[in-house]
Amino acid sequence: MASKYRHIAHGFDPVFDEASRVLVLGSFPSALSRANEFYYGNPQNRFWRVLAACVKRPVPETIPKKRDMLLSCGIALWDVIEECDIKGSSDASIKNVTPARIERMLDAARIEAVVCNGGTAGRLYRKYLQYRTGIEAVVLPSTSPANASWSEERLVERWGEVLRPLLEAGKSAEGDGENGKDGTLGDAHGEGEGASGGTPSKGARTHAARKSAAPPASTYGTHRSMQGNKSKDTKPEMLVRKRLREAGLGGYRLQWKAPGKPDIAWPGKKTCIEVRGCFWHRCPHCCPPPPKRNVEYWQAKFDRNVQRDAINLKALQSCGWNVHVIWECQLKKDVVEATFAELLPALSAELGKPLRL
C-alpha cells in the first residue's frame, strides 16, 4: 500500500553551542530518527561512523555521547526543514516546506562553514536558507543507505577531505580571535567593548558573522546593477578561461566540489584558480572605495566575504591544493599580459603541460 502524505514537524532540537563553527545539515529526519528523537537514528545510515572516523573518535552509541562528540569538535547539527508534507522517509516527496529558523543558531554561534549531507539537503539549503546565512555550502555525498554507490570507506575519505580542514580552520580562527591576533573573528569593526579595551562576551556574534537584510537600493539603476551581478561565468572568469585554452592548459573543471568551489580547477593535479571581483572581495591591490550609504551593512558584508575567502583558502591549502588568486584589476589592459606571464608558466609546471606558443 502506497504511503500517504502527512504533515510532520521536525520534533527535536538542533545541536550547537557558542563554540560551534561548522554546521552540518541534513534535509529532514527519517521516520526512525523521528521515533528515536535524534539525528540519523537509522542504524543503516553511516553518518555517525563516518563522522567518528573523520574526527578520529570512537563511534558514539548513545544520544548523549553523540551530542558530546559534536560539541567537542565544534560541529553543529540540524536539518534544513522544520515542517513539511512528506511520504514516510522519502526526501523526494517533500513539499509545503517550512524551513528551520536558522537565526536561532546564527545568533548564538559563529558558524563559519556549512556542510550539507547529500544533494537534496544542498538543494533545499540553497533554496531556503543560504540567503539568510550568507554562506555557500559544501555538498557532500549522502551517508544514507540509499546512496549505495558510495562505500563507507569512500565516504570517510571524501568527508574527511572537507571536514578536517574546516574544523582546523575553525580552531585556528577561534584561537586567533581570543588572543586578539585576527580582527576579523574578534571584533570585526573595532566597535563596542572591543574598541574600548574590553572583551566581547563569549559567543557574541559580530556583524561580520551575521547576515542582515539588505537595505533598499538608493535608485532603480543601482537595483538593476546589483541584480545583474553574477556568481559565475563573469567577464574576468571568461577571459582567464580563454587564455588558458589558448595556452594549451584546458581540461579544467568549473566550480569544482572543493572548499569554496574554486572557479577553475584541475582536480587530478589539485591546482585551482580563484578569480575574484575587487569590489566584493576587497582587493588589496586597488583597494576599491566602499559605498557611501548604509556603511555598516556593507562593511559587515565585506567582512563576511573576506573571512569566508580566508577560511576556504586555508581549507584548500590544507588539502594540498595549489591555489592561484587572480584579481579583477589584474586583468585590465595595462597589466593583463604581465599577469598571464606570471600565471601561465606556474600552471604549466604544476599541471605538467607544455605551454602552447
Side-chain angles (χ1 to χ4, degrees):
M1 182 177 176
S3 298
K4 294 183 178 180
Y5 270 105
R6 296 175 56 202
H7 186 80
I8 297 176
H10 190 283
F12 43 92
D13 286 334
V15 178
F16 69 96
D17 63 14
E18 59 192 13
S20 300
R21 295 294 179 267
V22 177
L23 170 59
V24 177
L25 284 170
S27 52
F28 191 69
S30 67
L32 276 173
S33 296
R34 298 194 297 269
N36 292 330
E37 297 186 340
F38 202 66
Y39 300 88
Y40 304 104
N42 184 346
Q44 300 303 314
N45 194 302
R46 297 160 289 180
F47 176 80
W48 294 110
R49 299 192 295 275
V50 168
L51 185 62
C54 290
V55 299
K56 299 182 180 178
R57 302 284 182 89
V59 179
E61 300 294 340
T62 65
I63 291 176
K65 288 183 178 179
K66 291 173 182 177
R67 192 186 305 274
D68 287 346
M69 181 178 74
L70 292 167
L71 297 180
S72 66
C73 294
I75 298 173
L77 186 62
W78 209 356
D79 291 312
V80 176
I81 298 174
E82 180 68 28
E83 298 180 22
C84 68
D85 293 342
I86 187 171
K87 291 181 179 180
S89 299
S90 171
D91 281 354
S93 71
I94 289 173
K95 64 180 184 179
N96 298 330
V97 168
T98 299
R101 291 170 290 178
I102 197 72
E103 292 79 8
R104 172 183 173 190
M105 182 179 291
L106 298 180
D107 287 340
R110 290 179 184 160
I111 299 300
E112 295 159 359
V114 176
V115 173
C116 289
N117 187 355
T120 299
R123 175 177 56 80
L124 293 168
Y125 171 78
R126 286 190 294 271
K127 182 174 182 179
Y128 294 109
L129 296 182
Q130 183 170 321
Y131 77 97
R132 291 153 68 183
T133 66
I135 302 173
E136 187 172 356
V138 178
V139 180
L140 292 177
S142 173
T143 59
S144 165
N147 185 20
S149 62
W150 280 77
S151 67
E152 189 168 316
E153 182 180 350
R154 285 183 69 203
L155 286 170
V156 169
E157 180 180 3
R158 180 70 184 115
W159 277 67
E161 284 179 355
V162 172
L163 270 185
R164 290 190 193 106
L166 291 176
L167 294 174
E168 286 301 319
K171 287 179 183 177
S172 253
E174 184 178 2
D176 289 345
E178 289 175 357
N179 294 322
K181 295 178 183 177
D182 183 349
T184 306
L185 284 177
D187 186 358
H189 300 283
E191 297 172 344
E193 291 180 354
S196 60
T199 303
S201 60
K202 191 174 182 180
R205 290 177 60 78
T206 64
H207 290 290
R210 184 189 301 118
K211 184 179 187 295
S212 56
S218 55
T219 66
Y220 182 69
T222 301
H223 167 75
R224 289 292 301 272
S225 175
M226 291 299 179
Q227 289 293 310
N229 285 309
K230 299 192 293 184
S231 61
K232 60 183 179 180
D233 296 334
T234 62
K235 287 184 179 180
E237 285 179 39
M238 300 298 283
L239 172 59
V240 173
R241 280 147 56 177
K242 177 184 177 184
R243 294 295 295 266
L244 290 173
R245 292 193 299 272
E246 290 174 350
L249 300 179
Y252 48 75
R253 299 292 181 267
L254 306 178
Q255 287 79 47
W256 184 250
K257 295 178 182 179
K261 290 190 176 180
D263 299 308
I264 301 167
W266 293 265
K269 298 293 184 178
K270 286 201 167 183
T271 293
C272 65
I273 300 174
E274 285 281 359
V275 184
R276 294 182 182 171
C278 295
F279 176 79
W280 294 106
H281 297 267
R282 311 319 291 161
C283 174
H285 304 291
C286 65
C287 301
K292 294 180 180 179
R293 298 187 181 185
N294 304 307
V295 175
E296 184 176 359
Y297 167 81
W298 285 108
Q299 187 60 55
K301 187 176 185 68
F302 294 147
D303 286 346
R304 286 196 305 271
N305 289 347
V306 171
Q307 181 180 8
R308 184 165 58 249
D309 289 342
I311 289 172
N312 289 333
L313 177 61
K314 185 168 185 177
L316 284 167
Q317 291 173 335
S318 298
C319 291
W321 284 74
N322 299 308
V323 184
H324 300 271
V325 177
I326 302 297
W327 291 93
E328 184 180 6
C329 65
Q330 293 177 309
L331 299 174
K332 290 185 176 180
K333 290 183 179 180
D334 56 338
V335 294
V336 64
E337 295 305 325
T339 298
F340 284 109
E342 181 178 349
L343 174 66
L344 295 177
L347 288 174
S348 173
E350 291 167 5
L351 300 176
K353 293 183 175 182
L355 289 177
R356 183 185 298 158
L357 300 178

